[in-house]
Amino acid sequence: MAQQFTYETLLERVVAIFRRAGMNEVQATALARVFVSGERDACKSHGVYRIEGTLRTLKAGKVKGDAVPRLVDDGGQGAVVRVDAGGGFSNAGFELGLPVLAERARALGLAALVVNDCTHFAALWPEVEAVTAQGLAGLVMCPSYATVAPTGGRAPLLGTNPLAFGWPRPGGQPPYVFDFATSVAARGEIELHRRAGKTLPEGWAIDAEGNPTTDPEAALEGAMLPFGGHKGSAIATMIELLAGVMIGDLTSPEVLDYLGTTALAPFHGELILALDPAKFSAGRAGDPLARAEALFAAIEGQGARLPSQRRFAARARAEAEGITLSDDEVAQLDRFLELGLDALD
Ligand code: NDP
Ligand code: PYC
């Protein structure tokens, strides 16, 4: 048996759970929106399954559910917009900073939103889509905690460091968006395999002795592997530099030192870049959005699909038929709503 929700009814339920757990309205709604969107878009590794980890992190006192994010005043002109998340979730900080980021990117061609002192536990595509909805291209990245061995190494050091890119498309089409962990798979996928009693595909992880493993328990004890060997390893390192070191926030090994566990949501910073295609192409031949459409058509013309097409199809299905949760998932939501943080043992 399974149960159906609309986006709104599931959102209402998840917000109520977060409010019951002591989160304020701004934190609860911003975080609930990304988890419910994940569920709607068939991204199970960053859907309602993340609620339990959120509550655990609140209970451990490692995130402030009552934080009110604050724009750090730079005099109102600069390309770097900074939000102090105040120890809350990144999503509330992002929502506060987005309008200023968009305004600056339109004025300057390029602007960056830095969110400091935040817990980040979500997929990045909701943020990149919010940037493209402003008619801008976006690039979003953040560290995580040390769980990935650099290529040639054997011990966890880098994070699963997600990277997302979005490009706006004309005519009401959904944007071009990719969003992925720089490890072969997101850690959430390994955890979901463990819970389902399934083995992992080969090449995802090594055990604590550095040997290849397909056992999720051994993988969680050992290290995950970067995607694309040395290339993914270098991109993950770049994210540590740009979205950790450069913005004055924690790198993945520092996050693990701070938390002492990967069972809680990671605390660090986030970097969001917004670029205005009209400004970058000014004075040059051709409309960048039209030229991008020709490129997308050529990709699809070969039978390939664009990234996020699976997700957008799942969204359309959920909008028509509802979001389906299993009875176990619904029972867990009911328990969280009834007992709040006491639901965790
Ligand atoms: P996936 O490997 O599932 O997907 C990566 C991207 O590739 C998606 O945009 C996907 O689109 C696209 N894609 C997949 N298959 C194809 C194909 N055949 N052709 C074209 N495009 C394709 O992502 P991950 O498991 O690496 O990451 C999942 C999520 O985890 C991400 O949203 C990420 O932000 C999140 N994450 C968050 C972290 C954090 O610290 N906050 C850490 C790590 C990951 P589609 O969705 O349409 O299939
Ligand atoms: O799935 O790797 C992951 C992850 C880490 C933090 C949030 N998601």
Side-chain angles (χ1 to χ4, degrees), residues 157-172:
L157 178 71
L158 303 167
T160 49
N161 301 2
L163 178 68
F165 170 77
W167 178 270
R169 300 187 66 186

Side-chain angles (χ1 to χ4, degrees), residues 27 80 110 299:
Q27 296 288 335
V80 180
L110 167 70
I299 292 171

Side-chain angles (χ1 to χ4, degrees), residues 135-265:
L136 302 165
L139 198 58
V140 184
M141 63 192 84
C142 67
S144 178
Y145 24 47
T147 50
V148 178
T151 294
R154 291 152 52 104
L157 178 71
L158 303 167
T160 49
N161 301 2
L163 178 68
F165 170 77
W167 178 270
R169 300 187 66 186
Q173 298 177 88
Y176 174 93
V177 172
F178 70 72
D179 175 19
F180 47 68
T182 47
S183 44
V184 178
R187 194 164 178 84
E189 283 294 338
I190 303 218
E191 176 58 22
L192 289 178
H193 275 74
R194 187 188 69 76
R195 290 182 184 198
K198 291 189 192 158
T199 55
L200 303 175
E202 294 198 3
W204 281 25
I206 50 178
D207 66 18
E209 279 72 51
N211 302 310
T213 185
T214 57
D215 173 5
E217 296 275 6
L220 292 169
E221 291 294 311
M224 300 167 66
L225 294 173
F227 84 97
H230 61 283
K231 301 180 187 183
S233 194
I235 293 174
T237 306
M238 175 194 78
I239 294 172
E240 301 287 348
L241 295 174
L242 294 180
V245 172
M246 186 178 82
I247 65 168
D249 227 306
L250 298 185
T251 59
S252 295
E254 291 166 343
V255 175
L256 192 55
D257 281 349
Y258 165 75
L259 282 180
T261 173
T262 56
L264 303 175

Side-chain angles (χ1 to χ4, degrees), residues 77 146 191 233 303 327 330:
Q77 303 297 326
E191 176 58 22
S233 194
D327 281 349
V330 175

Side-chain angles (χ1 to χ4, degrees), residues 90-137:
S90 59
N91 312 87
F94 173 80
E95 288 189 3
L96 176 69
L98 177 66
V100 188
L101 172 74
E103 179 199 305
R104 301 274 175 94
R106 275 189 217 103
L108 302 170
L110 167 70
L113 172 61
V114 171
V115 183
N116 284 123
D117 293 339
C118 61
T119 287
H120 201 298
F121 207 33
L124 299 186
W125 54 259
E127 293 166 341
V128 109
E129 281 189 29
V131 173
T132 60
Q134 302 283 332
L136 302 165

